[in-house]
Amino acid sequence: MSVIQIMEEDLANKIAAGEVVERTMNVVKELVENSIDAQSTEIKIELVDAGVKEIRVIDNGVGMSKEDAVLSFSRHATSKLKNIDDLFHIHSLGFRGEALPSIAAVSHLTMKTSNQEEGTYIEINGGKLEKVTACDLRQGTDITVSDLFYNTPVRLKYLKNLYTELAHITDYVHKMALSYPAIQFVLKNNGKLLLSTDGSNRLLKVINDIYGLSVTKKMVEIKGENDDYTVSGYISYPELMKSNRNAVTILVNGRFIKNTELLRTIVDCYHTYMPPDKYPIVVLNIEADPILIDVNVHPTKMDIKFSKIDSLKTLLTSLITDQLEHLTLIPDASTSTVMEGNETKISNHYSTPAVDTFNPSEKEQEYASFEKMTFDLEVKEEDAITDRLKEELPFEDEEETPRIKEMYPVGLVHATYIVAENEGGMFLIDQHAANERINYEYYLKEMSRPKKEKMDLLVPITVELPSDEYLILKENFDVLERLGFEFEEFGFNSIVIRTMPIWLQRARQEDAIHKIIDIIIETEDFNSEKFFHYIAATVACKASIKANDYITLDEMRTLLSRLRACKNPFTCPHGRPTIITYSKYELERLFKRAM
Ligand code: ZN
Ligand code: ZN
């Protein structure tokens, strides 16, 4: 019986709906997934003009017999799915069996394939089988799709922007390389190398091949499991921010998926570590019994559902926040401009035709020395931790040790940045951001106290609102009371506040009260952590010293020691950094004292 089986009509119909080749990426995806299904360990993708002119995929997989090769271009043929049940499990990559004939129908296609016993050459033009002959080839398949959509009007509509097409393909190949670190991927466009992985089955190495060494150095491993799920992978230091979610890669049983809820959960862990519209770089593999997964949602969109998602969310949150809470997150001044990388990298590769500066062997060496260094470091750190534990062992003290070493202020730059030092190097601290972090943690703590201490205002504050806003506020008077305010309605659209929670006395009170009322009017869920976060962050901003406020050395000292006492001293509540550093080594390097 042939490997390729004629697909059941029922399944064919289910799949046909989502079956359109809209972009060059769809073609690359279909060909690459065929290569993976054929157990390839090397997949080369060569594009001409982002695939619009030509897409060639060469693999070293099992190849096909002549019979299977011809059959693979007939509609409803697939070797990937045997029956409808398979569709609901995630073991197989293939959901579709129709893409290959669809692609052949709108292009010039040639294929060489060999299963070691026989080599076959096939040529198809616009869906018409022109040639089937024997040929020589080492084991594997080599497909070239050219002039995509040459015989349809679609071409103009979808394929206008080569850069967009290339960005889609690159993103897809990145995801596949991360999903299959044991497969060697090579991606080229117009002869330029865009990605080359070594198939050595090391995820961190693939991350390095995609994002470069400066990013790789700022990735940390996470690993853990509960009764339902096992999670492993890498997350970035918060300083590596991206402005889109493309760099969050979630794999389930080695397969790339999309799930908005999990994305949210991951990004939420970085809350206050980075601005809200930014995303970390994350590569996570989730292992789960296929029984917990429902791919029914929309297979071609890679969107899936988990039946015990809360268990998974709890696991992810605890693994990620635990890591973030234990890192020293002071960005290095010399490397903190790293991010927003990839997009520009692609466009550069696309637009500069001449020299290829990519030197694989040099990069390999750099990475190898990094890997060695990390390993040495890990060993040292472990020793240090065990030593410390030995010293500290019966520790009753609940106070956590500060996450940063003491820093000594030496002056103020532009009445905004504190310059400080210690034996490790030089530090620049944004006085507003630092003060904001201190106040933010103070307010959050005070707001969570069950019994709120209150104080009377010397002069009662009247708040007058437009009637629509006043009605919303009136509906939520209890929220204002829960926060610790006492007040009464006054006249038509106003309240008079006579008593306020004691924590507010640090802030510019009138300003802060108006801000709190604004937030109440805009908020929908008053029980969420986000509501308290938002109030605390807003009031903290109002209560903090500003840029251009001159502060004394003594005030700097107090500010720095309070900052050290914070749970997260590294960012303000809006996710901007409070401290950056030049390490001692970096300074020596910059002044050429050390090489
Ligand atoms: Zn602020
Ligand atoms: Zn801020």
Side-chain angles (χ1 to χ4, degrees):
M1 169 115 187
S2 125
V3 181
I4 306 254
Q5 301 182 349
I6 302 294
M7 194 165 56
E8 290 170 28
E9 205 61 31
D10 177 24
L11 182 54
N13 291 337
K14 274 209 160 65
I15 292 169
E19 186 47 74
V20 195
V21 178
E22 280 185 347
R23 347 193 53 119
T24 53
M25 189 274 275
N26 298 126
V27 178
V28 173
K29 182 171 187 287
E30 174 67 19
L31 300 182
V32 167
E33 289 182 3
N34 284 342
S35 295
I36 291 171
D37 284 347
Q39 296 152 38
S40 309
T41 56
E42 288 170 35
I43 301 174
K44 285 197 190 110
I45 304 137
E46 293 175 358
L47 311 171
V48 177
D49 287 350
V52 174
K53 262 232 133 63
E54 189 179 297
I55 297 167
R56 183 175 178 198
V57 174
I58 309 156
D59 70 42
N60 66 347
V62 292
M64 284 183 268
S65 66
K66 184 177 159 193
E67 186 198 357
D68 277 349
V70 173
L71 202 53
S72 70
F73 291 100
S74 71
R75 214 156 268 284
H76 299 176
T78 177
S79 62
K80 298 178 212 166
L81 298 174
K82 289 188 192 69
N83 59 58
I84 194 80
D85 288 337
D86 281 357
L87 196 61
F88 301 99
H89 291 103
I90 207 140
H91 292 130
S92 165
L93 278 174
F95 290 109
R96 304 170 300 171
E98 293 195 356
L100 212 46
S102 301
I103 293 163
V106 294
S107 68
H108 300 297
L109 187 149
T110 61
M111 175 166 89
K112 286 186 197 171
T113 185
S114 163
N115 60 1
Q116 265 184 328
E117 281 158 25
E118 54 180 339
T120 309
Y121 173 82
I122 289 183
E123 204 179 300
I124 301 177
N125 288 319
K128 241 178 81 197
L129 188 62
E130 306 266 5
K131 206 186 232 176
V132 183
T133 55
C135 75
D136 288 333
L137 183 77
R138 62 178 180 91
Q139 183 176 315
T141 301
D142 178 345
I143 296 193
T144 304
V145 174
S146 25
D147 303 320
L148 199 58
F149 300 125
Y150 78 98
N151 54 354
T152 72
V154 179
R155 170 176 201 166
L156 288 172
K157 194 171 163 199
Y158 290 109
L159 302 180
K160 259 187 286 185
N161 188 336
L162 296 188
Y163 165 61
T164 312
E165 294 304 314
L166 187 59
H168 275 102
I169 294 175
T170 312
D171 184 47
Y172 168 74
V173 176
H174 285 172
K175 298 275 188 310
M176 292 316 276
L178 291 166
S179 311
Y180 296 92
I183 297 178
Q184 189 183 343
F185 283 92
V186 173
L187 174 64
K188 285 181 180 178
N189 183 56
N190 295 346
K192 262 183 202 321
L193 191 58
L194 295 182
L195 177 72
S196 159
T197 67
D198 65 3
S200 61
N201 206 13
R202 289 171 298 168
L203 184 56
L204 193 62
K205 179 69 172 61
V206 180
I207 291 172
N208 180 66
D209 294 333
I210 293 174
Y211 297 106
L213 191 57
S214 48
V215 167
T216 309
K217 282 176 177 167
K218 296 280 177 184
M219 299 294 288
V220 276
E221 194 172 10
I222 67 166
K223 226 185 220 169
E225 60 184 3
N226 62 15
D227 290 347
D228 307 308
Y229 296 99
T230 302
V231 171
S232 64
Y234 292 87
I235 62 169
S236 68
Y237 279 56
E239 70 191 79
L240 296 186
M241 291 176 242
K242 300 275 288 172
S243 47
N244 64 61
R245 61 193 68 178
N246 273 355
V248 179
T249 304
I250 306 173
L251 313 169
V252 171
N253 295 341
R255 186 176 193 279
F256 163 59
I257 61 120
K258 283 180 186 162
N259 183 294
T260 337
E261 223 176 324
L262 289 187
L263 177 73
R264 216 359 69 219
T265 305
I266 292 166
V267 174
D268 277 349
C269 295
Y270 282 80
H271 179 58
T272 88
Y273 283 97
M274 56 171 66
D277 52 344
K278 299 287 178 190
Y279 297 86
I281 300 172
V282 170
V283 183
L284 286 183
N285 186 27
I286 297 162
E287 278 165 54
D289 189 326
I291 245 168
L292 296 173
I293 299 159
D294 183 4
V295 290
N296 200 4
V297 188
H298 198 313
T300 56
K301 285 190 176 145
M302 298 165 286
D303 205 337
I304 69 168
K305 276 201 167 124
F306 299 86
S307 51
K308 286 189 176 174
I309 188 138
D310 287 334
S311 149
L312 181 54
K313 279 158 77 177
T314 313
L315 177 63
L316 281 177
T317 305
S318 77
L319 289 174
I320 298 173
T321 47
D322 193 58
Q323 265 302 2
L324 291 177
E325 272 165 19
H326 289 94
L327 291 172
T328 299
L329 299 172
I330 306 175
D332 203 5
S334 55
T335 54
S336 61
T337 48
V338 166
M339 253 0 268
E340 307 304 345
N342 248 341
E343 294 84 359
T344 29
K345 202 167 99 193
I346 296 168
S347 66
N348 284 347
H349 273 287
Y350 196 77
S351 55
T352 47
V355 213
D356 198 346
T357 48
F358 193 95
N359 183 339
S361 64
E362 218 172 84
K363 299 240 168 195
E364 292 299 311
Q365 278 170 15
E366 239 182 291
Y367 179 80
S369 67
F370 155 73
E371 219 181 31
K372 190 174 171 297
M373 191 186 76
T374 326
F375 178 71
D376 292 348
L377 259 183
E378 269 167 20
V379 173
K380 267 184 218 144
E381 256 174 46
E382 244 166 58
D383 285 351
I385 289 165
T386 26
D387 284 351
R388 215 180 62 204
L389 279 181
K390 268 183 221 148
E391 280 168 35
E392 285 178 9
L393 239 179
F395 67 90
E396 296 132 285
D397 202 338
E398 276 290 308
E399 282 288 303
E400 274 181 56
T401 35
R403 294 169 67 183
I404 39 181
K405 289 218 174 84
E406 196 160 355
M407 298 169 290
Y408 310 97
V410 293
L412 196 61
V413 177
H414 295 167
T416 301
Y417 309 108
I418 300 167
V419 182
E421 63 163 351
N422 67 21
E423 64 280 11
M426 182 180 100
F427 301 86
L428 291 172
I429 297 103
D430 180 320
Q431 63 183 27
H432 173 70
N435 198 4
E436 211 175 41
R437 163 56 61 179
I438 296 162
N439 286 331
Y440 169 74
E441 293 196 3
Y442 167 78
Y443 290 134
L444 265 193
K445 207 165 111 199
E446 290 305 310
M447 275 192 282
S448 67
R449 279 187 206 284
K451 240 181 100 188
K452 309 249 176 353
E453 279 187 71
K454 300 174 185 181
M455 62 181 286
D456 289 335
L457 285 155
L458 289 178
V459 184
I461 293 172
T462 307
V463 181
E464 196 182 354
L465 291 168
S467 48
D468 54 333
E469 290 184 5
Y470 188 75
L471 285 173
I472 301 175
L473 181 65
K474 194 168 170 173
E475 241 171 72
N476 297 300
F477 274 167
D478 62 310
V479 178
L480 213 49
E481 277 159 15
R482 266 194 284 150
L483 286 171
F485 291 97
E486 286 173 13
F487 54 91
E488 56 214 45
E489 287 190 80
F490 175 71
F492 196 52
N493 280 342
S494 333
I495 54 171
V496 179
I497 298 177
R498 300 193 187 280
T499 303
M500 64 174 190
I502 202 160
W503 48 263
L504 249 193
Q505 65 178 333
R506 274 205 202 176
R508 284 160 216 170
Q509 295 157 11
E510 184 150 4
D511 250 19
I513 287 173
H514 278 102
K515 224 40 229 191
I516 290 174
I517 287 175
D518 282 351
I519 294 170
I520 291 177
I521 289 167
E522 283 159 21
T523 302
E524 271 156 24
D525 177 10
F526 297 102
N527 293 316
S528 72
E529 263 175 54
K530 289 248 166 87
F531 172 65
F532 291 107
H533 152 72
Y534 200 33
I535 296 240
T538 309
V539 179
C541 184
K542 295 269 166 218
S544 300
I545 39 166
K546 301 268 174 286
N548 296 317
D549 284 349
Y550 279 91
I551 58 172
T552 64
L553 266 181
D554 264 345
E555 287 171 317
M556 294 178 211
R557 251 172 237 127
T558 317
L559 193 72
L560 294 185
S561 78
R562 290 218 184 116
L563 183 64
R564 281 184 74 222
C566 286
K567 268 198 216 142
N568 166 17
F570 308 109
T571 52
C572 86
H574 308 96
R576 288 190 282 277
T578 53
I579 316 174
I580 58 173
T581 181
Y582 286 90
S583 68
K584 196 172 170 217
Y585 170 76
E586 188 59 27
L587 289 171
E588 282 171 354
R589 205 184 57 85
L590 287 169
F591 286 105
K592 312 276 182 235
R593 287 167 173 269
M595 297 308 276

